Amino acid sequence: MQHSPSARDIAAPVPASPSAVMGRTSSDGADACVMGDINMVRPLGLAGISCAVVTGADDPTLDSRFSRPAFYWSDFENDQAGLLEALMGFGAARRGRPVLYYQQDTQLLLISRHRRVLSEVFRFVLPDADLVEDLVDKARFQQLAERLGLPVPATRRIRPAPGAPFPDLGLRYPVILKPLTRLRSWDLLGGEGKALRVDGPDELRTLWPRLTEAGMDLLAQELIPGRETRIESYHVYVDARGRVAGEFTGRKIRTFPRAYGHSTALTITDIDGAAADVAALGRELAARLNLRGVAKFDFKRAPDGTLRLLEVNPRFNLWHYLGAVAGVNLPALVHADLMGLPRPPTARARPGACWCNLRKDRVAAKEEGISLTSWAAWALRCEAKALSLDDPMPFLRNLLRRVLPGGRHR
């Protein structure tokens, strides 16, 4: 199968076939095919698992000592047929079936919807197909939550198409507005944040023309008071027999933007102590959903101390690097099971272990009034970050790309 070059791919020419990038795909030993970033590659590399990475040609992840290019691909939202063809071509050229990892919703949906044909050349873990659709689409998730009695905030779906009447939400303000699925088109409306806060019906009425112009279906959800640091998460891998093979809990330290932003600093919490209720509720909901595979349950702790479920993401994510450093390597456990190998030793994840995105977290810390000296001292102690002494090139190459004229390094 061939993947023809097009404008969607980054700079470097795309090879005539996926195997041509590596040149030795039928004989070398990459054990995993990773559609993800350095936070996905590093936990696998730490477990001695070699990774063939599907990403853009200028992604610093390719400079990791744990990775090599599989084939170049930069836009996972469009041309799903082309991506499927490229994956099949790469997988078919390998000895055995490598384990396929995915880090974005679009990648998850592609694999789930084509699981039968992809399973001919790859190994992977996935929940049931209907459950995947229910968890990724926020409108379907709300219906699932109502059906199963999941502890989610009150939510309504709105369709702000041109000419649509202004809705009566029937919710208590303030509310937040979120897209049904996370696509790049949301950035034009929500900016860098994952959601928009609306404090009352008058503010929603003022915002309505922008919403109708964007034409995106949205969810309006009652706001749970409190900062993003009150968002706690349960991370789990449930094996094919329905048993919890590995788990840990965590909490956000900082996000950027400060409200409804993307995580810039994270920490592992005590699954047997302060986060015991997070783990207990996570296990209960995983069983209620009949979940298989990996998932992240995001909760927000309300002012009264109760936990409200925000979302469930049934895919790999940046937390897995921190989990591996703290002692629970979920991607490695998945790999062992799928390859029929003994599972790596797993203990309780060490509370207090931290991850940060150095560049973005400095901005987030500055926004919170934290001095450069204080932040730098904390960042140096941070166990999981882009600058790793045993794998420094991704950070250094990315730094050079930002500093050197032309901005390109590959």
Side-chain angles (χ1 to χ4, degrees):
M1 298 182 181
Q2 293 188 345
H3 168 43
S4 301
S6 76
R8 68 174 177 273
D9 295 298
I10 295 181
V14 179
S17 69
S19 61
V21 177
M22 296 178 63
R24 54 189 189 278
T25 57
S26 60
S27 59
D28 70 356
D31 302 310
C33 180
V34 178
M35 293 187 287
D37 61 18
I38 194 65
N39 297 295
M40 190 68 250
V41 167
R42 284 223 174 111
L44 293 169
L46 292 173
I49 301 166
S50 59
C51 301
V53 182
V54 180
T55 188
D58 273 357
D59 189 339
T61 302
L62 295 173
D63 295 301
S64 170
R65 69 186 184 93
F66 302 126
S67 69
R68 66 195 75 176
F71 57 92
Y72 300 131
W73 201 277
S74 60
D75 184 357
F76 290 94
E77 290 184 11
N78 302 299
D79 193 8
Q80 295 282 285
L83 177 56
L84 176 63
E85 182 182 19
L87 284 170
M88 290 297 297
F90 174 79
R94 308 212 54 81
R95 290 186 307 177
R97 293 180 298 145
V99 178
L100 182 59
Y101 292 89
Y102 44 91
Q103 202 169 342
Q104 298 178 12
D105 283 345
T106 51
Q107 299 161 358
L108 164 65
L109 290 172
L110 173 73
I111 298 170
S112 179
R113 292 168 180 174
H114 300 279
R115 60 179 69 199
R116 184 189 61 79
V117 65
L118 283 168
S119 66
E120 296 174 4
V121 295
F122 290 107
R123 309 166 197 258
F124 45 83
V125 292
L126 283 172
D128 175 78
D130 287 338
L131 182 57
V132 169
E133 301 290 337
D134 287 342
L135 296 179
V136 172
D137 185 298
K138 288 182 171 57
R140 289 183 57 156
F141 176 64
Q142 180 62 24
Q143 296 171 356
L144 176 71
E146 293 172 359
R147 190 164 67 248
L148 298 182
L150 306 183
V152 299
T155 305
R156 298 289 182 272
R157 179 172 179 170
I158 58 176
R159 296 180 172 87
F166 180 77
D168 178 8
L169 297 180
L171 300 174
R172 291 178 299 177
Y173 286 89
V175 301
I176 56 172
L177 302 180
K178 302 187 290 187
L180 295 188
T181 55
R182 293 177 186 170
L183 301 174
R184 291 181 182 178
S185 52
W186 168 255
D187 296 343
L188 301 176
L189 185 62
E192 295 185 84
K194 296 180 180 180
L196 283 173
R197 173 174 171 149
V198 179
D199 288 318
D202 290 341
E203 185 176 342
L204 180 59
R205 192 179 299 276
T206 301
L207 185 61
W208 192 248
R210 284 181 56 202
L211 300 179
T212 58
E213 183 180 356
M216 296 176 60
D217 282 11
L218 303 171
L219 284 188
Q221 188 174 80
E222 290 185 0
L223 175 70
I224 303 171
R227 295 184 55 192
E228 302 295 277
T229 54
R230 297 184 69 87
I231 294 179
E232 302 184 55
S233 52
Y234 172 69
H235 306 260
V236 66
Y237 162 46
V238 182
D239 66 19
R241 296 175 293 178
R243 299 177 182 176
V244 173
E247 61 180 358
F248 62 89
T249 56
R251 178 180 59 80
K252 293 189 178 186
I253 298 176
R254 281 181 291 275
T255 66
F256 187 81
R258 191 172 182 178
Y260 318 119
H262 296 271
S263 300
T264 64
L266 308 168
T267 188
I268 298 292
T269 51
D270 187 355
I271 199 169
D272 293 320
D277 59 341
V278 177
L281 183 55
R283 294 181 197 120
E284 176 190 337
L285 298 184
R288 202 182 301 182
L289 293 170
N290 196 27
L291 178 77
R292 298 293 184 273
V294 296
K296 174 171 72 79
F297 292 76
D298 275 340
F299 303 99
K300 188 167 185 180
R301 196 173 290 278
D304 64 0
T306 60
L307 295 167
R308 307 302 300 275
L309 178 64
L310 301 181
E311 61 183 0
V312 183
N313 291 314
R315 52 178 167 79
F316 299 91
N317 58 74
L318 63 82
W319 277 92
H320 290 153
Y321 178 24
L322 175 56
V325 169
V328 180
N329 194 330
L330 297 186
L333 290 170
V334 169
H335 188 273
D337 281 2
L338 292 177
M339 299 298 288
L341 302 171
R343 288 176 179 171
T346 298
R348 291 296 192 195
R350 180 169 54 83
C354 293
W355 168 94
C356 78
N357 179 314
L358 288 170
R359 181 174 61 87
K360 294 181 179 179
D361 192 53
R362 173 56 201 140
V363 178
K366 184 177 180 180
E367 187 179 56
E368 292 193 1
I370 300 173
S371 70
L372 176 60
T373 302
S374 297
W375 173 82
W378 174 85
L380 284 174
R381 297 191 303 271
C382 193
E383 293 89 335
K385 50 184 177 285
L387 180 55
S388 171
L389 294 180
D390 68 340
D391 188 30
M393 290 312 297
F395 178 83
L396 296 177
R397 291 277 193 166
N398 196 35
L399 179 64
L400 288 173
R401 185 175 62 176
R402 295 178 183 279
V403 172
L404 294 180
R408 305 193 67 81
H409 71 269
R410 191 177 294 280

